[in-house]
Structures are given as structure tokens and as C-alpha cells.
Amino acid sequence: MAPSVLLLLGLLSSTGSLPPPRTSFLLNSADRPLVLFSLPDVHNTTTLLLSDDGSTLYVGARDAILSLDVSQSDIIHLKKKVEWSPSESEINECQLKGKNAEVDCPNFVRVLQPINSTHLYACGSYAYTPHDAYIDAESFSMVQQDEAKGRCPFSPFQRNTAITVDGELFTATTTDLRGTKPQISRHFSKDGRPDVSQDSSLSLLHEPVFVSSSLDSSDRKLYFFFSEVGKEFSFVDELRIARVAQVCKDDVGGRSTLQKKWTSFAKAPLLCQSHRQLPFNVLQDVFTLQPPEGTDASETLFYAAFTSQWSSGPESAVCVFKLQDVRAAFTESYRTFNLLTHQWSPQLGKHSYLGKCGLDNASDSELAEVKRSFLTSNSVKPVGVGPLAVSSGQQYSRVAAMRTQAADGKQYTVLFLLTESGFLHKVVLLNRGAHIIEEIQVFTQPQLVKNIILSPSKGVLYVGTSEGVTAVPVARCSIYRSCSQCVLARDPLCGWSRTSRVCTGLDSHENMVQDLEDGNVEEECLIQTRVSLDTEVGVHLNEAVRLQCQKPSNLATLTWTSPRFRNLPEKLFILSADGSLSFLATADTFGIYRCEAVEGGYKEEVASYAVRQIASPRSMSPNPIAGENHVANNMLWFWLWYFMF
Ligand SMILES: *[C@@H]1O[C@H](CO)[C@@H](O)[C@H](O)[C@H]1NC(C)=O
Ligand SMILES: *[C@@H]1O[C@H](CO)[C@@H](O)[C@H](O)[C@H]1NC(C)=O
Ligand SMILES: *[C@@H]1O[C@H](CO)[C@@H](O)[C@H](O)[C@H]1NC(C)=O
């Protein structure tokens, strides 16, 4: 693959790019209100965990762990808070390590997981000396805290991932001060099993950045997602590769070889690449979407946001991988690492035990093979072979996904993609491609550390940043004020109610107007006859006129028409970028003006004006045109006026 990668270096283009978001909402927009939780003494609220019932949001912050009541949709309030900060002397020691007291040495909580039915487990960077703690979820008090190497990073800026399964904790993190020693391990092992970690006689990982983890409960395996330097391409410097690694949940290590080390560790490349283009090789985030009820676990989907090492500007892609294909990669062939040449070669002969669980009693020779054959020959390819969506212009850094049933009874997937610049893109995956329904600004300052978590039961997405926690309702259908806008939005969560004649959520059982695939307004919104009256605009002769017209969506194009002209002559009319039409009121220009929006082949009148002359002489007017009646002169005034406003 690599030589062709290099050949393709010159061929980067942006085919199949996402269209722009249909509608945009800036931070604190009244149309798309968000709920922000922040307190003056609470910072870096970036580690998020939802209770099973979706009514409590636990937050790992700087020097604190919070429990937030999110049971109401319009307010978030603090239920309890546990302070958890290093002592002054511990901060001094941190400074002696060359770290900044304010930036690096507080305790940034980086793991927050339920450990059993009554307690939460937390791990924090704690003045560059990771500590962990147990929180009684009921009383929300800390019952115990201790130093804990290898469960979360020393640096608050390094990424890590952790997942608990039946009271056992699986972590992927760096384990040293410099942040160069990665480790995937199991802690608090049950049933008398030892804690297990990676074999360190060989480098199994190279500068990995861990982004996410997932449990395959039916196969009793865990998957870790990350990107790292791909050493199999020894002729390319620092080529990064996106990966998925597996370990078996119940692995106990070998008897003499690989004692207390994974016998099931293996890794596979994840490929996200458009046809004849460079791959998107840097993994940013992965979201696990469980299959619909009654479907086999192998249908589990992993939605992954990627960027590229080679991009000159912001660019990203979303690929989706199926559990079935991940499993297949680990049961097919492997490569073997040659300890003498430091090269990878295809594994010779059939070694059916590679990548399998239950090698506890495997022979030393088998485990010796396991030790050096941990890279699969095949990459995991995405569903549909290429990316679901490619964005030239946006750097997607976090992803969440939900499945929803639309008015036609079909299931649709909605993605939430957080951009580095602070916008949340809500994307529906249609047969014809991805469509960005809306973008919502959720923060303005760049955030080095941030996370999102989706609450499908509450219909809310939470964004945790250094400034606070923001709740974003997954939809606000009332922003679409007409049947046509409701249909053109193509939001599977919104439909036009024929009875109440509003755009609303789909929870009612009535038959709603919605056409996700075609957005066919004419057919769907027949009953909608727009009876709009022209807005009267009274002006004096030679007065400057500016008629407003607001684009109903970013995808619409506006045109102005008037029955007096076949085309509005450029020398009389100015069309502005904001859609407004400006001209000077003269005998030639009094009359009717209509502004129409065209979107997806559907034409809709947005505004219409009747511009008429006011007969009576003007009273006081600050307009510089007043008193002038020489048209040429007035034209000059008009241009001056136009460029001033
Ligand atoms: C949960 O874990 C905590 C901390 O180890 C322990 O004190 C508590 O007894 C456990 N609770 C249950 C129900 O096992
Ligand atoms: C491995 O051997 C031990 C003792 O010989 C036995 O108890 C255990 O069940 C064996 N494990 C497997 C996976 O076969
Ligand atoms: C913590 O928050 C501050 C802003 O309050 C930010 O500058 C800093 O980067 C954050 N640190 C981490 C580790 O998130």
C-alpha cells in the first residue's frame, strides 16, 4: 500500500465532499437555545459519564468530581461535588518535575467509570502522579484514594481510554512521566485471575494516541481504537496508521511464557480512504452504535472520525466499520515480526490459535509465535468500502451516533460531529449521501480537551469543555415555520403535523409529512397555499430603498423579480450578499418586488413588497438626498449611501 500512497501524494482532491450545513446557529442563538452549566470555581469539566437512567451526569473536572441533575431539559443543576486536589507539597513536587503549577499540576480527572452497583471509579493526573479514587454514588463522597500508576496519564493533555466490565477495569494509557510508555491492561481482576498487561519484551505499540474502547460482550473481547506510527512501513518515516487492537476479557496470560501478559493481544489497521486518494490515517474518535434489538451483535457499528497526516488545511472523514469485519480481520492471517531484521513478513503456515481467547494452557512454542505475530495481514475496511462523508474545511474531532425511526417507519442514522472550531454538525445518512441538517456553535475558544456524550433517552447531547457542560437538544423542530421548511430540513426527528400545522417531533402517532430522501415539498405540502400579502413600502421620489430578504437556508439561492422588468437591470439595482435589494425610488422603479428562494428544485416566495410613492411632501428628514431632484446627482448620493450602510 505504501508505495502507491506516495505516488498518490499529488492526487489529493476533494471529491464527494459534504455539502455545507443547511442551517447555522451561532452560540446563544435564541432559535436554538442550549443549556450551559458552569460555576466560577469549576473548571475543565471534560470527563463525562451518564447514569443508566440518563438523569444524572457525572463529570470529572479539575480538582473535583461533580454529580449533575440533568433530569429536566431546560436546566442543569449541581447535585453534589467532591473536591479532589493534590496538597501544596505535592504541587511543589510536580513543579520540581519542570511542570507548571496552574497548567499541569492540578488533578485533572481523566477516568470516570461505574465500578460496581454502588461506587464510581475515578483516576486523575494528580500533580503528575496519577491517583485513583472510589466515590460512593449515593452519598457522593470519596471512600478511598491512592496512587495509581498505569490507569490514566500523567499529562492532563494526553489522551487515554478506559472501560469497566463486571467490575474489572481495562485501560489504555501512557504510564510514565514523559508519556512515552503506552500500556493496555486489566485491573481489579475478578475470580482470582491476575491483572494482565502488555508484553514488554517487544514494542507492541509505537507512539499511540488512544481515542476510544468498546466491549464485544458476545465474543468476550475488548477493542481499543488509536493511531500510531506504522512500523510495517519501515521505508516511510513516521507514517501514522489508524488501528483497532483486541484483548480477551478473561485472558490470564501464559503459564511460563507471557506470564500475566496478554496472550490475546493483536492489532489491525483501520482503513478509511476514498477511491484513488490518500487515506485518512489519523483517528480522532470512535463511537460504538449497538445494533437494533433482535439483531446479532456482529452488526454493531463503529463510527469513526478521521483526519489526515497530509492535509494542508482542515479536512476530515467519517468511516463506519462493522464488528463482523473487525472480528474477521483478527481470525484471518497475521504478520510475523523478525527480531533480527526488524521487518514484518507474512506469517508462514497455519496458526489457528492466533488472535484467539483461552490460550492459558498453550505451549511455549505457540506462545512464542503469539508474541511476534500480533499484527494482522488484512486491514479492516469500512462498510461501503469508502468514507460515509468527507469534509474539506472541517476538522471533526468527536463523533456520536443515534438510530431513529422516521415517519416512513424506516431507521435512519443521525451523526453528531464536533469540529475543532466549536460547531456541532448534525448529519443524517441518506441513500443519496450525507446531509448536514444543521450546525450549532457550542464553544468559541479552541479546546485542547473536550468530550461529547449522547443521551438517546433524553434526546440531548452533552459537550464537556474547559468552560463547562453544554446540553444540546438533538432537535428543535419549531425552528421550521412552514411545511416546506420542515420537509426541506430532512431531519428524521422532525415532521409537519397535518392536524396542528406545525413542525414537531415524531413522538405522536399521527401521520406526519416528511420526505427524507427526496425532500419533495410540492407533493407533501400541497395543502399549504401561501396567502402572503405584499408588504407596503411608502417612499419619496428619489429616496434610497432597501428591501430585506432572508435566506431560509444556506442551501437556498435567492432571486428577486418584479413584474415591471424581465430581469432587474444592474444599473438600477444592487443585490447584496445578505440577500437584500437596493435601488433608488423613481418613476421607473415603483412597483411590486418578490424575493424567491430555490432549494432542491423547489421554489418558494420568501418576501414580497409593494413599493409606492408617498405623495405628501416630506417633513424633517436626515436623508442627504432630501431636496435633491436631479436624478444623476441622486444616483451618486445613492451609491455613497449604499456603501456607507
Ligand atoms: C463497590 O466497590 C467499593 C470500593 O471497592 C466497595 O467499598 C463496595 O463495597 C463495593 N460494593 C459492592 C456492592 O460490591
Ligand atoms: C488450563 O489448565 C488448568 C490446570 O491444568 C485448568 O484448570 C484450566 O481449565 C485449563 N484452561 C483451559 C482454558 O483449558
Ligand atoms: C483547563 O482549562 C483551561 C481554561 O480554563 C485551559 O486553558 C486548559 O487548557 C485546560 N486544561 C486541560 C488539561 O484541559
Side-chain angles (χ1 to χ4, degrees):
M1 184 189 85
S4 58
V5 160
L6 294 176
L7 282 177
L8 285 168
L9 262 166
L11 297 178
L12 261 182
S13 76
S14 52
T15 48
S17 261
L18 275 168
R22 184 174 180 275
T23 47
S24 308
F25 301 97
L26 293 180
L27 194 66
N28 302 326
S29 149
D31 284 332
R32 195 71 168 86
L34 311 176
V35 180
L36 174 68
F37 170 85
S38 69
L39 288 173
D41 59 341
V42 171
H43 306 275
N44 304 86
T45 44
T46 52
T47 300
L48 308 176
L49 171 71
L50 263 175
S51 66
D52 285 339
D53 64 1
S55 67
T56 306
L57 182 66
Y58 300 108
V59 181
R62 182 206 301 179
D63 295 329
I65 300 169
L66 319 175
S67 147
L68 304 181
D69 181 350
V70 290
S71 55
Q72 287 156 287
S73 59
D74 53 347
I75 186 157
I76 299 178
H77 73 250
L78 179 67
K79 279 204 285 200
K80 294 268 175 56
K81 177 175 159 190
V82 176
E83 310 268 356
W84 185 25
S85 42
S87 68
E88 216 168 292
S89 68
E90 286 164 325
I91 289 185
N92 286 340
E93 273 172 53
C94 176
Q95 283 177 289
L96 289 178
K97 293 173 183 169
K99 303 299 168 192
N100 179 295
E102 275 86 49
V103 177
D104 306 306
C105 296
N107 182 25
F108 295 92
V109 177
R110 299 306 301 278
V111 173
L112 198 53
Q113 286 282 310
I115 194 78
N116 60 27
S117 57
T118 53
H119 286 69
L120 300 177
Y121 170 83
C123 184
S125 62
Y126 204 90
Y128 261 76
T129 318
H131 274 53
D132 62 4
Y134 294 91
I135 314 286
D136 180 327
E138 187 69 34
S139 65
F140 217 68
S141 56
M142 192 175 293
V143 293
Q144 185 189 331
Q145 71 137 346
D146 234 321
E147 202 169 323
K149 285 223 177 78
R151 297 174 194 168
C152 64
F154 285 59
S155 161
F157 298 101
Q158 254 188 356
R159 289 185 72 180
N160 64 308
T161 176
I163 182 169
T164 48
V165 183
D166 304 333
E168 293 178 316
L169 175 73
F170 296 82
T171 59
T173 178
T174 54
T175 57
D176 61 326
L177 180 72
R178 286 174 55 224
T180 55
K181 290 191 184 136
Q183 183 60 268
I184 294 176
S185 39
R186 183 180 67 216
H187 313 270
F188 315 129
S189 304
K190 293 278 189 297
D191 305 328
R193 293 183 306 216
D195 284 353
V196 175
S197 58
Q198 271 172 250
D199 178 25
S200 51
S201 60
L202 264 178
S203 278
L204 302 189
L205 300 168
H206 301 277
E207 300 169 41
V209 176
F210 299 109
V211 302
S212 173
S213 45
S214 186
L215 167 71
D216 175 359
S217 53
S218 61
D219 243 9
R220 303 182 74 73
K221 280 183 179 176
L222 287 126
Y223 296 106
F224 296 89
F225 297 93
F226 55 100
S227 2
E228 65 167 345
V229 175
K231 290 289 183 191
E232 66 265 42
F233 305 105
S234 47
F235 41 88
V236 187
D237 269 352
E238 300 288 297
L239 175 72
R240 293 195 75 82
I241 299 282
R243 302 262 200 228
V244 53
Q246 69 153 36
V247 298
C248 294
K249 181 183 161 304
D250 304 315
D251 197 337
V252 294
R255 279 192 298 184
S256 56
T257 304
L258 290 177
Q259 268 182 23
K260 298 188 188 173
K261 304 294 177 197
W262 301 113
T263 60
S264 54
F265 175 85
K267 63 184 184 182
L270 286 174
L271 198 63
C272 183
Q273 183 174 26
S274 302
H275 185 58
R276 290 177 59 78
Q277 308 252 319
L278 283 169
F280 287 91
N281 59 334
V282 181
L283 200 51
Q284 296 293 333
D285 196 22
V286 176
F287 182 91
T288 304
L289 186 64
Q290 298 301 333
E293 222 158 298
T295 318
D296 193 73
S298 62
E299 299 293 314
T300 302
L301 296 175
F302 303 110
Y303 285 90
F306 288 85
T307 52
S308 161
Q309 176 174 8
W310 300 283
S311 297
S312 48
E315 191 184 23
S316 46
V318 180
C319 275
V320 58
F321 302 90
K322 202 182 251 183
L323 176 56
Q324 194 181 324
D325 299 328
V326 173
R327 285 177 178 174
F330 288 117
T331 51
E332 288 160 6
S333 55
Y334 280 79
R335 304 183 205 211
T336 297
F337 187 70
N338 185 317
L339 287 164
L340 296 174
T341 61
H342 281 237
Q343 298 279 332
W344 287 92
S345 53
Q347 229 251 333
L348 299 172
K350 192 101 182 99
H351 300 285
S352 56
Y353 49 85
L354 290 177
K356 290 263 161 62
C357 299
L359 295 185
D360 329 355
N361 295 337
S363 68
D364 284 344
S365 68
E366 283 172 330
L367 291 182
E369 199 57 44
V370 165
K371 273 180 81 151
R372 34 190 214 113
S373 308
F374 54 88
L375 176 63
T376 65
S377 303
N378 299 331
S379 303
V380 185
K381 298 200 180 54
V383 179
V385 186
L388 284 176
V390 173
S391 171
S392 42
Q394 296 297 343
Q395 194 93 357
Y396 291 134
S397 64
R398 296 292 181 276
V399 55
M402 65 186 273
R403 225 181 249 110
T404 183
Q405 188 170 349
D408 60 7
K410 291 197 200 126
Q411 297 280 330
Y412 286 85
T413 302
V414 177
L415 302 183
F416 295 90
L417 297 161
L418 182 67
T419 72
E420 284 291 355
S421 56
F423 284 86
L424 199 61
H425 283 191
K426 173 174 156 192
V427 178
V428 59
L429 303 177
L430 303 173
N431 290 334
R432 58 201 298 165
H435 164 74
I436 311 181
I437 301 164
E438 53 182 347
E439 65 172 351
I440 305 150
Q441 191 176 27
V442 290
F443 56 79
T444 51
Q445 294 301 311
Q447 300 290 324
L448 289 172
V449 183
K450 66 234 155 213
N451 277 303
I452 62 176
I453 194 168
L454 184 64
S455 172
S457 68
K458 289 271 183 287
V460 174
L461 183 113
Y462 300 96
V463 184
T465 68
S466 46
E467 272 102 57
V469 176
T470 303
V472 185
V474 293
R476 185 169 159 92
C477 303
S478 60
I479 51 181
Y480 308 115
R481 301 220 165 85
S482 64
C483 177
S484 55
Q485 288 305 313
C486 189
V487 170
L488 287 170
R490 297 203 180 150
D491 188 333
L493 302 166
C494 297
W496 183 259
S497 157
R498 289 191 172 94
T499 47
S500 48
R501 301 177 62 76
V502 288
C503 192
T504 175
L506 295 191
D507 7 76
S508 60
H509 292 290
E510 70 170 305
N511 176 13
M512 310 273 272
V513 181
Q514 194 188 55
D515 185 7
L516 297 179
E517 287 298 343
D518 301 317
N520 193 335
V521 176
E522 258 135 67
E523 228 162 72
E524 302 295 335
C525 300
L526 266 182
I527 26 127
Q528 273 268 303
T529 42
R530 193 182 152 95
V531 276
S532 71
L533 289 174
D534 300 333
T535 308
E536 294 283 335
V537 181
V539 288
H540 297 279
L541 197 63
N542 294 327
E543 193 180 321
V545 181
R546 185 174 204 152
L547 304 178
Q548 302 290 344
C549 181
Q550 223 188 353
K551 259 193 196 186
S553 103
N554 297 331
L555 303 183
T557 50
L558 296 179
T559 42
W560 282 94
T561 58
S562 171
R564 295 197 62 177
F565 301 93
R566 207 144 59 90
N567 292 306
L568 299 182
E570 268 177 44
K571 62 181 199 311
L572 294 182
F573 296 93
I574 300 170
L575 206 59
S576 316
D578 69 355
S580 64
L581 182 74
S582 306
F583 56 92
L584 207 59
T586 66
D588 285 341
T589 59
F590 289 116
I592 305 288
Y593 292 88
R594 294 187 206 291
C595 176
E596 286 173 337
V598 180
E599 182 178 349
Y602 170 74
K603 190 189 274 185
E604 184 176 56
E605 187 178 298
V606 183
S608 73
Y609 299 93
V611 180
R612 303 196 199 289
Q613 184 171 5
I614 304 173
S616 63
R618 202 176 335 186
S619 52
M620 298 293 290
S621 165
N623 195 322
I625 303 168
E628 284 289 344
N629 56 12
H630 194 271
V631 172
N633 225 349
N634 280 342
M635 224 28 211
L636 181 69
W637 277 114
F638 171 59
W639 290 108
L640 282 175
W641 166 84
Y642 178 79
F643 285 109
M644 278 168 64
F645 296 99

